[in-house]
Amino acid sequence: MTQTVSRQTHGWALPVLTLLAVVLLVFVVSLAVSIGEISIPIETTVKAVSNRLFGTTFELSRIHQGIVWDYRLSRALVAASSGAALALCGVILQALLRNPLAEPYVLGISAGASTGAVAVMILGFGYGVLTLSTGAFIGAVIAFLLVGLLAAGAGGSGERIILCGVAGSQLFNALTSYIVTTSANAEQARGVMFWLLGSMSGVRWPDVWLAAPIAIVGVVISMFYARALDAFIFGTDAAATLGIAVRRVQIVLLGVTALMTATMVSIVGSVGFVGLVIPHAARFIVGPKHDRLLPTAALAGAIFMVAADIVSRIIIPQQILPIGVVTALFGAPAFAVILYRARRTA
Amino acid sequence: MSIHVDTVSFAAGNTLIVDGVSVAAEKGKVLGLLGPNGSGKSSLLKLICRLRKVQSGVIRLGDDDIASIPRAALARRIALVEQQATTETQVTVMDVVRLGRTPHRGPLSSWSTGDDSAVAEALSRVGMHDRAGQLWHTLSGGERQRVHIARALAQTPSELLLDEPTNHLDIQHQLDILGLVSRLDVTSIVALHDLNLAAMFCDRLVVLQKGRVIAAGIPEEVLTADLIAEVFGVRACVEKSAVHGRCNIQYMASGA
């Protein structure tokens, strides 16, 4: 209780916390750029970035310049964007569905995006017209609609939504496996499996230009609806009596969630648990009000994902672990803790 | 008239839930909605605050059709206290009551001193001002209901709708809450099950049965032994109370 009161009275706490989080994010990104098979001092990193951004002419080896700018920085920025976006999706879905377990991965949206991406990648659906990203996007939207319909048919609330998500995940994972086992050659199959578990190895600047703006759009739109999200705490009817245009808010925010999930899954693969664990951690730090929760979760998600990427690259020497494996190794126990806490407070 | 429901019907699927109901709530008075389970009380309240759309008929707030009032403007005038609305999120009493200011604020405007005083006033109205920092899930049923009423009052409404606000409360809190509502300077419509409480606290009563209005008027006119037998299927003896001067209902067990 004291914790709750303190987070309402100390006006300075939030700006300081935000500043700390931004500093921490810059720090982990620099760390992510420095750490790797070829270790690069942070000083060199700063020089390389400055050369590209501000036209300075520090003398650096072309290899170092290339590794910093073309490989590691783009990768770190995509990690940060996708972490922020997935965490935001979790916050939004948990508020709209009033369920602490809601997130894109649990609701089967990531699985749908994977099926869509694999259909384009291996079956060549809409070849030449549809890119991997649009395939993932269509898959995510279909999964969203299907799980939504299932949930509406099943009575629409509480655990049922999660059960519908589980059913949806199973279906789409089965479809993905079906496509991979029947149509992919061995090399494709290995590539797909790696991508499905989350992989950032192919990430370059064009991915940054897709992921970062979508994450920023997600932050801006969800912040605009922060108060509306607060009003959903006692359900949709209560939100409507508080003057919220419930249907519009649902459509806009679920659309943004689908867009963010689909984009990130199409770039980094289906990474689980970020959207589940980060919102709860953020709520623990700044409380349930969305004007604070959304930016905190976005920053925390970004930091977590960049850190997870670092871990995935260094935990086994000479080998890169899929990032989804790392997030799941941290996320699954955290999921258990959340379930346990939910049982205690119920 | 503050709220005027004019021959309104509403159906869910093929079942007519509200069937040609006309009800008028006088400004500043308490109107009680009575009727057995499933008689359409909750649905009527939801129609009045436009949570459901009327199929036919019209509901007027002052002179305006509520269908023509924007959602936020409507929320600045009508507040609803639902039955047993709860949450699993860790929020404080203050967080919940502050929600009442939502319709008064733009998406980006900051919290004003007007908002602060509305919230403080609402909290002290229900006697929860010293509990503002307490967490929702540590409150008792009666306290939660009072917080919901404070949230509704923070909306500074001119019309207040309450759906069985005394359900699951002990007798002291039932009297507290209805006493509070009757002292407020707003028009209230209260759905109730307890006929004696309705007689004590409501200025007028409307009795619903299967979605239709069976009786309407002041408690002494409405609450007769015949009506109670017809609507609720219970034999009762109605007398004027020596204590509060309103009518008092004593039920007879079915074998008596």
Side-chain angles (χ1 to χ4, degrees):
Chain A
M1 196 179 124
T2 35
Q3 178 203 2
T4 320
V5 175
S6 70
R7 75 186 174 218
Q8 277 176 348
T9 45
H10 296 311
W12 52 266
L14 196 69
V16 170
L17 213 64
T18 315
L19 192 70
L20 263 174
V22 172
V23 169
L24 192 61
L25 178 58
V26 172
F27 176 72
V28 287
V29 168
S30 343
L31 213 61
V33 174
S34 303
I35 294 174
E37 265 177 48
I38 299 169
S39 162
I40 297 173
I42 289 207
E43 193 193 340
T44 313
T45 307
V46 173
K47 283 179 181 168
V49 171
S50 162
N51 279 354
R52 289 301 292 254
L53 281 187
F54 307 113
T56 49
T57 50
F58 294 111
E59 271 190 39
L60 292 176
S61 80
R62 297 242 328 255
I63 294 174
H64 277 178
Q65 179 77 43
I67 290 175
V68 167
W69 187 260
D70 293 325
Y71 292 88
R72 291 191 189 163
L73 185 60
S74 53
R75 179 182 179 130
L77 291 178
V78 165
S81 306
S82 59
L86 292 173
L88 278 178
C89 289
V91 172
I92 293 171
L93 289 172
Q94 284 163 19
L96 286 184
L97 304 179
R98 294 182 73 211
N99 193 311
L101 301 181
E103 66 129 355
Y105 193 76
V106 173
L107 289 179
I109 303 162
S110 303
S114 302
T115 305
V118 167
V120 171
M121 205 190 314
I122 294 174
L123 297 183
F125 270 157
Y127 190 72
V129 185
L130 290 183
T131 60
L132 194 73
S133 311
T134 39
F137 186 69
I138 293 168
V141 172
I142 291 174
F144 222 116
L145 293 176
L146 189 79
V147 172
L149 276 176
L150 266 178
S157 69
E159 304 84 56
R160 288 186 182 180
I161 294 172
I162 301 299
L163 291 177
C164 295
V166 171
S169 298
Q170 298 290 336
L171 173 69
F172 286 107
N173 285 337
L175 279 175
T176 305
S177 302
Y178 181 82
I179 296 171
V180 171
T181 46
T182 53
S183 308
N185 59 39
E187 196 182 326
Q188 274 179 321
R190 196 183 132 74
V192 165
M193 289 324 281
F194 204 75
W195 178 81
L196 285 179
L197 291 168
S199 158
M200 308 245 236
S201 41
V203 164
R204 298 290 179 269
W205 280 101
D207 302 310
V208 178
W209 299 133
L210 184 62
I214 297 266
I216 290 166
V217 165
V219 171
V220 171
I221 293 182
S222 59
M223 280 302 283
F224 186 79
Y225 285 109
R227 270 179 212 158
L229 285 172
D230 287 341
F232 275 86
I233 184 170
F234 288 105
T236 47
D237 277 355
T241 61
L242 289 169
I244 303 299
V246 168
R247 191 58 56 84
R248 193 187 73 209
V249 172
Q250 283 174 330
I251 289 172
V252 170
L253 287 181
L254 290 178
V256 168
T257 308
L259 177 70
M260 286 197 284
T261 308
T263 310
M264 300 314 162
V265 171
S266 71
I267 299 171
V268 302
S270 115
V271 177
F273 294 105
V274 180
L276 180 67
V277 174
I278 298 296
H280 286 278
R283 220 173 269 125
F284 190 72
I285 301 169
V286 295
K289 289 194 64 192
H290 286 87
D291 54 352
R292 297 159 172 222
L293 181 57
L294 288 162
T296 308
L299 280 168
I303 293 167
F304 177 75
M305 200 68 163
V306 177
D309 181 45
I310 297 174
V311 172
S312 78
R313 286 188 283 136
I314 61 175
I315 195 164
I316 303 172
Q318 312 291 318
Q319 199 183 335
I320 298 174
L321 214 57
I323 190 166
V325 173
V326 177
T327 59
L329 281 176
F330 282 98
F335 190 94
V337 170
I338 292 163
L339 280 173
Y340 182 75
R341 275 170 50 100
R343 190 203 61 155
R344 249 190 354 183
T345 56
Chain B
M1 286 298 145
S2 171
I3 295 174
H4 200 133
V5 177
D6 191 0
T7 50
V8 159
S9 295
F10 167 74
N14 290 323
T15 326
L16 205 52
I17 301 201
V18 176
D19 184 2
V21 166
S22 295
V23 168
E26 247 177 281
K27 199 168 163 55
K29 298 285 172 68
V30 181
L31 176 71
L33 285 183
L34 301 176
N37 292 326
S39 58
K41 302 185 298 288
S42 295
S43 298
L44 184 59
L45 290 179
K46 284 182 176 162
L47 288 169
I48 293 172
C49 56
R50 223 175 79 199
L51 288 177
R52 306 288 178 270
K53 271 199 190 115
V54 296
Q55 252 148 14
S56 65
V58 63
I59 298 173
R60 279 195 205 87
L61 186 59
D63 294 328
D64 308 316
D65 182 349
I66 59 157
S68 67
I69 304 174
R71 178 58 70 210
L74 195 65
R76 288 192 284 270
R77 289 201 55 180
I78 302 185
L80 170 72
V81 176
E82 290 179 286
Q83 275 184 60
Q84 302 291 310
T86 191
T87 179
E88 283 179 19
T89 314
Q90 295 233 333
V91 282
T92 62
V93 167
M94 182 59 115
D95 290 333
V96 175
V97 178
R98 284 170 77 124
L99 282 178
R101 299 308 293 165
T102 309
H104 295 272
R105 307 170 68 200
L108 303 171
S109 65
S110 59
W111 187 260
S112 73
T113 51
D115 294 325
D116 262 335
S117 58
V119 167
E121 157 96 29
L123 275 170
S124 63
R125 257 339 235 289
V126 302
M128 295 289 284
H129 49 284
D130 52 349
R131 311 280 287 280
Q134 196 173 337
L135 286 172
W136 172 263
H137 68 85
T138 66
L139 299 174
S140 71
E143 289 163 345
R144 289 180 184 191
Q145 201 60 274
R146 276 150 73 195
V147 174
H148 272 306
I149 292 175
R151 191 264 306 144
L153 293 179
Q155 279 174 253
T156 54
S158 49
E159 283 80 16
L160 181 61
L161 313 179
L162 301 104
D163 194 358
E164 295 177 22
T166 55
N167 257 10
H168 307 294
L169 300 190
D170 60 46
I171 188 67
Q172 186 200 350
H173 285 116
Q174 296 188 18
L175 294 171
D176 277 356
I177 281 183
L178 290 175
L180 166 71
V181 170
S182 65
R183 283 192 305 274
L184 290 172
D185 190 24
V186 297
T187 309
S188 339
I189 303 183
V190 192
L192 283 172
H193 270 305
D194 189 313
L195 305 184
N196 280 310
L197 289 178
M200 274 175 75
F201 291 103
C202 297
D203 299 300
R204 288 179 71 81
L205 297 175
V206 168
V207 182
L208 294 175
Q209 187 180 34
K210 293 178 182 149
R212 289 164 176 271
V213 175
I214 292 287
I218 59 170
E220 287 71 21
E221 290 169 6
V222 171
L223 293 173
T224 61
D226 287 346
L227 177 114
I228 293 168
E230 186 195 337
V231 177
F232 296 96
V234 177
R235 289 200 297 144
C237 169
V238 184
E239 292 169 342
K240 185 173 171 173
S241 163
V243 182
H244 49 67
R246 302 274 191 118
C247 54
N248 180 40
I249 297 130
Q250 289 168 295
Y251 304 106
M252 291 178 237
S254 45

